[in-house]
Amino acid sequence: MKFEPAHGRKFSLVAILSVPLWISAATGPQISLTLHGAKKGAAVAPTMHGLFFEDINYAADGGIYAELIENRSFEQRDPMRAWTIPADSRLETNGPIHPNNPHFLRVSLPGGDKSATLTNSGFGGIPLERSAQYRFSLFARRTAVSDHTLSIRLESPSGEILAAGNLGPLQDKWSRHELMLTPSATVADARLSITASGGGSIDLDMISLFPKDTFAGRQNGMRKDLAQVLADLHPGFLRFPGGCIVEGNGLANAYRWKDTVGPIEHRKENWNLWRNDKGTDPTKHYHQSYGLGFFEYFQLCEDLGCAPVPVLNCGMACQARGNECVPLDELGPWVQDALDLVEFANGPPTTKWGALRAEMGHPAPFGLTMMGVGNEQWSEDYFARYEIFAKALRQKHPEIQLISTSGPGVDDAHSAFAWKKFRSGTPADIVDEHYYRSPEWFLTHSNRYDNFDRSGPRIFVGEFAAHEKNRASTLRAALAEAAGLTGMIRNADLVTMTAYAPLLARTGATQWTPDLIWFDNTCVQLTPSYHVQSMFSRNRPDLTVPLDIVSRNDRPKGRIGVGTWQTIAEFRNIRLTRDGTTTDLSTLEQTSNRPTDWTSGGGTLKQSGLAENSHMLLGPEFSGDFTLDLEARATGGSEGFLILFDATPSGPASWWNIGGWNNTAHAVESPAVNSPPVPGNIERGRWHHIRIESNGDTVNFSLDGRTVHKAARTHQPRVFASAGIRKTNRELIIHAVNPGPEPAETAFNLESIQPTGEVSFELLTADRPDAVNSFDDPEHVKPSTGNFSIP
Ligand code: AHR
């Protein structure tokens, strides 16, 4: 079987082959993939592929929460956002519907046959569908005895009336009014207008417009198209409500679940940690209406058929944003929140919180089994608080699996500290690890869990995404994620949950990319990463089949080069020796990423620009052993030299960084050869002799005759794979990924697996590695399917 490259004329990228007991082996290929049918595999948890929802990029209000009116309750920090109001109208706080919802609009009415009109433009326009039904509602009261009528209209941008109805009479007390509206045309950017007549003034609040047709037909429910693409992923779980949003900028806007339940007009709305710009204007923070609160969340999990995984604030705000902590002796109410959430989800209606759930329409328990305490927290500050939560939860709810966090990254001091804790008694069932890294990192770390110490808790890869330098959702990033996922599945005994992050992004309203699913008011656009998630999630085996992959030649092809970082330098006597032959590279083909910085003559290359990473690649691409000798001298700037190897113009950085970090350290930075920084520097104005010897799996780096690094070459496989059995139909499933530029002809060796029947396959391919989907070309990258018979 041949896995063609991602970008070429014939393509098969994430190949997910789903076979009712199996497939024939090829002969003589470069790569062999052996499935050990007789070896014991690991159970793959039903939660292996799930979702992580955070209200970022307008994911909730203006996103999946189907409310069409922005700022319906006048609680936003930008109080009139989305509204135009009549003169003499103003916000009032005296006598609100509920103290949690303090602001409402008082509209002064001119009396007689005059009227006053206010309008709302929704989230950048209100999308309406012809003949569909929309539920309009508001809370109103009159402040003086008068006969008030409210005329409600949906209007096109040019003022054409698309639907209309009247409400009234109003009472002296707050009362809710509702009517159904059916537009006569489909419009993407309508507005709502409310015209009031009568005398005195009236108070208005909770002005709402919902499509009747929401996901699973829920009132106060979710936007159907967006929820449907989540359902199509067949998620095993839904983590909620974040992310950093759980933590808050400070404790003032930390997420507290109790603010989000009960009647929507009683909920205590909040400003969002995420904002529309990078400035400091307080009105630019997004708003959380909490219309999508914890009840709606549990209900959505039920409608999606997945497990809820709530994450609670651990008594700390975001450590990267100021580290405000609840004093340990005041942690009680925060811990109580966690205990009460279990009661809200699972307790009988005879309990306080179980009764609220029943009142909200769900007497049956929601079946909560897992809970996260803290997101991306670290240090003793966190563990001191986490352990108090853990003790209380273990005592009262031993049935709940506890998810702790190893901090914002992996392989750093915070995560090392956390893992030490987990392996020495800190109680946790699962640890949440996050990584947003380059596509190359995903490829070189797809074996991350192969030899991971199993003595601690299991792992939830709770947020991951491959980040291109330009943050685009490319096929290349998706393939890197797919390669990463194969490693997670191969280690299913350890990794039980995974989720891409973030999930949703409203176009024009994001501050974090890449994201899995994009949307505007009327369209949903799926990224290549979405398709990878979908292919893995729909093809989840129950039990892994252990496998080995052997490549005959997995040494990358690349070129030698010289360069600098914020430094002016010269290079001479650049000699490459391969197979006993030495060539002067300065006489061969030269390719620079900043050609104007470079001049060459008399065997010397001069680099004269103070730029980050200005380099010149020299000679042809090759793979195999070599010795490189050269001399280099820095004449200006702050650092030393970059000596490139295995380098390609569009590939990842692969260099020996000599005198990096302001001329304080040397390090090898390359996907295949890595050596961490060691203290060291170069002397300005002095010619240094540099040698790199790459011999088999060992690469030696020396400066002025002294070895600085002796590094091992890691072999990055050319094909990444995982496999397993789906028990229900005795089906063998193989996930195979070729992220590289070359075809990967692969032999499938099946040990103790008897091939029979039809092979069906699903392929994700495109014309180039940086292929993306867009609103104009939404299906540029999407899976295709096929099948073949086994002879
Ligand atoms: O997914 C976006 C953010 O990334 C999350 O809020 C946070 O947990 C992480 O830093």
Side-chain angles (χ1 to χ4, degrees):
M1 167 146 290
K2 200 165 181 171
F3 291 115
E4 295 288 342
H7 38 90
R9 271 166 293 118
K10 289 167 75 191
F11 322 100
S12 64
L13 284 184
V14 178
I16 296 190
L17 299 151
S18 149
V19 189
L21 285 187
W22 193 240
I23 188 171
S24 68
T27 49
Q30 306 154 325
I31 299 163
S32 73
L33 198 165
T34 304
L35 300 183
H36 302 289
K39 283 195 186 162
K40 194 170 178 294
V44 182
T47 49
M48 177 57 93
H49 306 288
L51 301 174
F52 162 54
F53 179 92
E54 176 164 25
D55 185 359
I56 182 173
N57 308 323
Y58 277 79
D61 295 325
I64 197 168
Y65 181 52
E67 174 64 81
L68 294 169
I69 302 302
E70 181 165 19
N71 194 13
R72 67 182 175 192
S73 55
F74 305 101
E75 297 300 330
Q76 295 214 6
R77 290 187 129 197
D78 176 5
M80 280 305 145
R81 188 172 166 93
W83 289 102
T84 56
I85 56 168
D88 294 340
S89 304
R90 61 184 189 278
L91 282 190
E92 275 288 345
T93 52
N94 195 5
I97 306 174
H98 190 277
N100 280 347
N101 177 10
H103 299 94
F104 56 88
L105 186 70
R106 176 154 295 169
V107 183
S108 299
L109 299 175
D113 56 2
K114 293 203 174 125
S115 58
T117 297
L118 56 147
T119 65
N120 185 286
S121 53
F123 295 89
I126 299 176
L128 297 175
E129 225 178 284
R130 182 171 175 260
S131 302
Q133 285 187 292
Y134 294 82
R135 177 176 283 109
F136 172 83
S137 65
L138 53 61
F139 278 74
R141 74 177 167 198
R142 62 183 189 183
T143 59
V145 179
S146 175
D147 232 359
H148 298 104
T149 336
L150 297 182
S151 156
I152 314 299
R153 287 196 300 267
L154 297 175
E155 300 171 349
S156 73
S158 61
E160 185 193 347
I161 298 171
L162 305 169
N166 288 332
L167 287 178
L170 305 189
Q171 334 249 314
D172 297 335
K173 283 189 173 162
W174 285 109
S175 57
R176 185 172 181 278
H177 302 259
E178 175 180 312
L179 60 81
M180 296 306 287
L181 295 167
T182 306
S184 56
T186 297
V187 175
D189 49 1
R191 63 179 174 242
L192 166 78
S193 94
I194 302 174
T195 300
S197 56
S201 62
I202 57 169
D203 294 339
L204 302 176
D205 204 355
M206 298 306 289
I207 302 171
S208 167
L209 183 74
F210 256 87
K212 184 163 178 250
D213 192 17
T214 57
F215 183 66
R218 302 285 185 189
Q219 221 169 311
N220 195 45
M222 304 302 132
R223 189 173 140 175
K224 202 173 178 182
D225 54 353
L226 273 177
Q228 188 55 51
V229 293
L230 302 189
D232 293 344
L233 287 172
H234 301 281
F237 65 87
L238 176 57
R239 174 175 170 233
F240 178 94
C244 300
I245 202 175
V246 174
E247 307 164 34
N249 298 72
L251 294 170
N253 72 332
Y255 195 107
R256 309 292 296 269
W257 74 268
K258 288 174 182 166
D259 295 339
T260 77
V261 292
I264 54 170
E265 65 276 14
H266 294 186
R267 297 185 188 177
K268 194 169 175 189
E269 305 191 8
N270 202 352
W271 51 284
N272 198 320
L273 167 132
W274 301 107
R275 42 183 304 129
N276 292 314
D277 65 3
K278 288 192 181 351
T280 52
D281 177 350
T283 66
K284 295 285 191 245
H285 283 268
Y286 301 172
H287 186 70
Q288 302 181 78
S289 75
Y290 288 152
L292 164 48
F294 257 76
F295 178 83
E296 292 76 18
Y297 158 59
F298 283 128
Q299 192 168 254
L300 179 61
C301 290
E302 201 164 87
D303 292 340
L304 293 172
C306 69
V309 181
V311 188
L312 295 195
N313 187 299
C314 61
M316 294 172 79
C318 180
Q319 283 167 282
R321 293 177 171 88
N323 199 17
E324 192 185 351
C325 294
V326 178
L328 289 178
D329 57 1
E330 292 171 24
L331 205 58
W334 300 72
V335 176
Q336 195 59 44
D337 278 359
L339 300 175
D340 290 343
L341 183 63
V342 182
E343 187 174 293
F344 179 70
N346 294 349
T350 47
T351 59
K352 174 177 170 193
W353 293 102
L356 177 61
R357 184 192 70 238
E359 221 172 87
M360 292 182 76
H362 203 287
F366 279 120
L368 178 67
T369 59
M370 286 180 262
M371 182 186 288
V373 176
N375 169 68
E376 292 193 354
Q377 251 90 31
W378 66 80
S379 75
E380 209 44 88
D381 282 344
Y382 170 61
F383 283 99
R385 286 165 182 77
Y386 171 76
E387 282 173 21
I388 295 173
F389 275 80
K391 192 169 170 210
L393 280 158
R394 282 277 199 257
Q395 215 163 46
K396 187 142 188 221
H397 292 292
E399 75 283 9
I400 297 294
Q401 295 190 59
L402 270 178
I403 303 176
S404 185
T405 163
S406 63
V410 288
D411 302 333
D412 59 11
H414 295 318
S415 78
F417 178 79
W419 276 103
K420 212 165 156 195
K421 287 271 182 194
F422 299 130
R423 296 202 174 102
S424 57
T426 293
D429 298 297
I430 304 168
V431 174
D432 182 11
E433 292 205 331
H434 295 178
Y435 30 89
Y436 298 100
R437 300 288 179 92
S438 67
E440 293 77 31
W441 187 90
F442 275 80
L443 301 184
T444 49
H445 289 76
S446 76
N447 59 355
R448 172 173 173 74
Y449 299 111
D450 287 356
N451 299 308
F452 205 90
D453 180 346
R454 259 71 175 165
S455 63
R458 281 159 291 133
I459 289 176
F460 172 18
V461 185
E463 297 180 26
F464 74 86
H467 281 192
E468 293 275 22
K469 284 195 192 91
N470 65 0
R471 298 288 194 108
S473 275
T474 61
L475 174 68
R476 178 176 39 226
L479 293 171
E481 288 150 9
L485 278 166
T486 61
M488 299 174 206
I489 296 167
R490 282 198 314 273
N491 290 285
D493 62 312
L494 177 69
V495 180
T496 55
M497 304 164 75
T498 66
Y500 181 98
L503 183 63
L504 297 174
R506 183 182 168 87
T507 183
T510 56
Q511 80 299 344
W512 184 292
T513 52
D515 304 287
L516 197 66
I517 299 164
W518 287 77
F519 61 91
D520 59 19
N521 275 346
T522 52
C523 296
V524 174
Q525 186 236 301
L526 308 176
T527 58
S529 296
Y530 175 93
H531 293 303
V532 164
Q533 290 296 311
S534 163
M535 291 167 81
F536 275 88
S537 188
R538 285 181 288 104
N539 294 286
R540 179 182 59 79
D542 302 313
L543 193 67
T544 60
V545 173
L547 57 81
D548 287 320
I549 302 175
V550 178
S551 300
R552 257 196 236 151
N553 174 12
D554 52 12
R555 282 280 293 272
K557 267 192 175 172
R559 296 168 72 185
I560 298 295
V562 291
T564 63
W565 190 281
Q566 298 284 16
T567 299
I568 295 169
E570 297 170 350
F571 303 88
R572 69 181 186 196
N573 293 326
I574 310 170
R575 314 236 175 258
L576 179 71
T577 306
R578 294 180 54 218
D579 301 326
T581 308
T582 300
T583 18
D584 179 352
L585 283 182
S586 65
T587 62
L588 301 182
E589 184 193 346
Q590 303 182 348
T591 319
S592 175
N593 64 335
R594 295 177 57 87
T596 52
D597 290 353
W598 292 82
T599 49
S600 99
T604 301
L605 283 172
K606 289 189 181 171
Q607 193 287 126
S608 55
L610 278 181
E612 292 187 350
N613 179 15
S614 172
H615 66 247
M616 177 72 85
L617 297 181
L618 303 166
E621 273 192 350
F622 66 92
S623 81
D625 295 345
F626 68 89
T627 300
L628 172 73
D629 286 288
L630 72 141
E631 290 173 301
R633 170 167 80 169
T635 54
S638 53
E639 303 215 343
F641 320 110
L642 302 174
I643 310 302
L644 289 78
F645 58 96
D646 297 349
T648 55
S650 60
S654 180
W655 58 45
W656 183 18
N657 186 346
I658 304 171
W661 297 273
N662 273 323
N663 202 17
T664 60
H666 312 310
V668 185
E669 300 170 283
S670 146
V673 188
N674 220 281
S675 194
V678 293
N681 63 295
I682 55 107
E683 284 173 44
R684 205 148 310 286
R686 169 181 164 193
W687 282 104
H688 289 275
H689 177 244
I690 295 163
R691 167 172 281 202
I692 303 179
E693 287 169 280
S694 178
N695 199 349
D697 284 349
T698 309
V699 194
N700 210 64
F701 297 84
S702 54
L703 183 64
D704 300 320
R706 193 179 63 82
T707 297
V708 181
H709 317 267
K710 198 174 179 117
R713 243 178 209 285
T714 53
H715 289 263
Q716 181 182 300
R718 291 178 49 206
V719 165
F720 298 78
S722 48
I725 303 283
R726 187 131 64 184
K727 287 187 194 147
T728 36
N729 47 0
R730 293 176 53 74
E731 193 179 38
L732 175 69
I733 296 173
I734 300 179
H735 317 111
V737 186
N738 172 13
E742 306 283 339
E745 202 169 324
T746 305
F748 287 84
N749 305 315
L750 310 169
E751 285 181 4
S752 309
I753 299 171
Q754 196 58 46
T756 59
E758 278 281 295
V759 178
S760 62
F761 59 89
E762 208 172 320
L763 304 174
L764 188 67
T765 70
D767 48 350
R768 33 175 231 285
D770 57 356
V772 295
N773 289 338
S774 64
F775 283 94
D776 292 334
D777 189 4
E779 299 200 341
H780 190 79
V781 186
K782 68 164 188 182
S784 59
T785 54
N787 52 57
F788 58 89
S789 302
I790 295 172

